Amino acid sequence: MLPFKLVYREEYYLPIGDHVFPSAKYRLIQRYLADQGIMTPDDLLSPDPATDDDVLLVHTPMYVHKLKTGTLSAREELELEVPYSKELVEAFWLQAGGSILTAERALQDRVCVHLGGGFHHAFTDHGEGFCVLNDLAIAIRRMQKDGRIVRAMTVDCDVHQGNGTAAIFGNAQEPFPPPPAWSAGLTAPRRPAHMKQGQIGDVFTISLHQENNYPAWKPPSSLDVNLPDGTNDDEYLAWLEKALVYALEQFEPDLLVYVAGADPYREDQLGGLALTLDGLLRRDELVFRFARNNSIPVMATRAGGYALRLEDTIRIHANTVIAARQVFKG
Ligand SMILES: [Zn+2]
């Protein structure tokens, strides 16, 4: 039995056929965790789909109407990079509901892990890059609407920049000061990456990603860490820690939303970073420990993962649960 809940439903399967996105992965992660004796059925929470009102907290009425009536233009369908169907739309409404439930439980229990979600490439008025709805933004806006939180921080560790999330929350106010030099016990990585600051609203968005990768246009997050090709475990972890420490100096969130993409893995088909399985596990532990040490409730979602061997993607995603157990036990 885990010291927190996992949010999952059998219907998380995305009906997209044979695709680089392994749509059966949610079921496989759940099965792996059960087979390894890491979780029992009692650890699972089953979400309901988001309501249209929830979805409309983030997405435009026009886009929602097009999704529900199957009237996306040919270009809009192409941009999704997954085949449109009514079932696909229903799966995304369900996954958005899953992220809402995950946020609620994280606020109640300190931590909750969603075995789905993390669709960070969806914008208010269109979807792209396999992402139809931005479940992260929907969950945050719903928690704000319910008065459960005022401010949230997203920590997006998918190999691809969280362009949709950055654009959705990038509508505000004052720029903040440049990050400090390497100090305070942080060791500078050998090779340069660069940090770029955007603006602070009520949601502080952090994205660590490979610079030379999709999306070509990267709307500014509150904090972008643009990593060079081939960034390894130690370099990545140093940047992640620096980003988290720096962000917390600027902003105190009521909820941390961790996007635990599996695609910074060195054998990923759509990624060009060089993290190992162990490095990704240490990444997860670092984020959870940061949340715990600073008493910030944390929810984690999946996101991308396109390893040459599907079992590696499943293992990386399952390891996020193991990392959370390690940090939050007792
Ligand atoms: Zn990705």
Side-chain angles (χ1 to χ4, degrees):
M1 179 118 176
L2 290 164
F4 51 84
K5 294 293 181 190
L6 303 174
V7 172
Y8 169 75
R9 233 171 99 165
E10 280 290 320
E11 294 87 343
Y12 272 9
Y13 181 84
L14 301 183
I16 57 178
D18 191 17
H19 194 282
V20 69
F21 189 101
S23 57
K25 76 175 182 179
Y26 308 107
R27 182 166 42 78
L28 297 173
I29 299 165
Q30 191 270 328
R31 192 171 295 165
Y32 177 91
L33 290 166
D35 288 349
Q36 298 290 316
I38 295 160
M39 57 149 283
T40 67
D42 288 347
D43 294 319
L44 290 179
L45 292 177
S46 180
D48 293 323
T51 65
D52 291 355
D53 282 347
D54 294 332
V55 172
L56 287 164
L57 293 171
V58 169
H59 294 285
T60 62
M62 174 68 88
Y63 180 50
V64 171
H65 177 76
K66 286 178 182 176
L67 288 173
K68 298 198 78 141
T69 53
T71 50
L72 293 172
S73 70
R75 185 170 165 275
E76 286 169 325
E77 276 198 50
L78 204 64
E79 248 184 331
L80 286 179
E81 298 188 76
V82 285
Y84 173 88
S85 66
K86 194 168 169 290
E87 293 72 29
L88 180 78
V89 170
E90 285 169 1
F92 272 93
W93 251 255
L94 180 59
Q95 295 234 5
S99 283
I100 291 170
L101 179 59
T102 309
E104 285 172 342
R105 287 304 291 228
L107 291 167
Q108 183 180 321
D109 300 342
R110 297 193 296 167
V111 56
C112 185
V113 177
H114 191 190
L115 298 187
F119 296 100
H120 58 165
H121 299 312
F123 289 69
T124 56
D125 62 351
H126 74 279
E128 60 177 68
F130 319 151
C131 301
V132 175
L133 296 181
N134 195 309
D135 58 292
L136 308 158
I138 291 169
I140 290 169
R141 289 299 189 222
R142 173 64 193 278
M143 292 308 101
Q144 290 175 324
K145 182 185 160 206
D146 290 353
R148 302 282 304 272
I149 65 169
V150 176
R151 287 143 58 102
M153 179 181 286
T154 63
V155 180
D156 190 333
C157 289
D158 192 273
V159 79
H160 305 101
Q161 195 238 11
N163 55 346
T165 313
I168 288 167
F169 294 121
N171 53 358
Q173 296 122 26
E174 70 243 54
F176 54 98
W182 290 95
S183 63
L186 298 170
T187 311
R190 188 170 43 82
R191 285 183 303 166
H194 57 277
M195 256 181 170
K196 265 171 53 184
Q197 305 88 54
Q199 299 187 309
I200 302 177
D202 57 1
V203 179
F204 191 108
T205 54
I206 303 173
S207 180
L208 266 82
H209 49 264
Q210 183 189 6
E211 182 163 32
N212 299 318
N213 203 328
Y214 170 89
W217 176 62
K218 297 176 175 63
S221 310
S222 306
L223 188 59
D224 282 302
V225 182
N226 295 291
L227 298 164
D229 299 356
T231 295
N232 66 26
D233 290 345
D234 290 341
E235 293 166 329
Y236 187 97
L237 294 171
W239 279 109
L240 175 58
E241 186 173 15
K242 183 178 170 82
L244 291 172
V245 168
Y246 173 62
L248 195 63
E249 284 169 6
Q250 313 300 318
F251 188 90
E252 281 182 35
D254 306 310
L255 174 67
L256 198 145
V257 179
Y258 174 38
V259 184
D263 48 13
Y265 181 46
R266 64 182 175 185
E267 291 179 34
D268 195 273
Q269 300 173 81
L270 302 185
L273 300 185
L275 275 73
T276 64
L277 292 172
D278 181 59
L280 287 158
L281 178 65
R282 286 159 58 205
R283 171 198 71 170
D284 295 339
E285 288 175 351
L286 197 164
V287 175
F288 287 127
R289 201 171 300 119
F290 172 83
R292 193 201 60 186
N293 291 349
N294 292 289
S295 303
I296 307 165
V298 57
M299 63 176 275
T301 70
R302 301 323 76 215
Y306 318 93
L308 285 167
R309 290 185 302 269
L310 176 58
E311 57 264 38
D312 286 347
T313 296
I314 303 309
R315 178 96 177 274
I316 295 163
H317 284 317
N319 278 350
T320 305
V321 176
I322 292 171
R325 182 181 64 172
Q326 182 63 24
V327 171
F328 286 95
K329 68 183 174 196

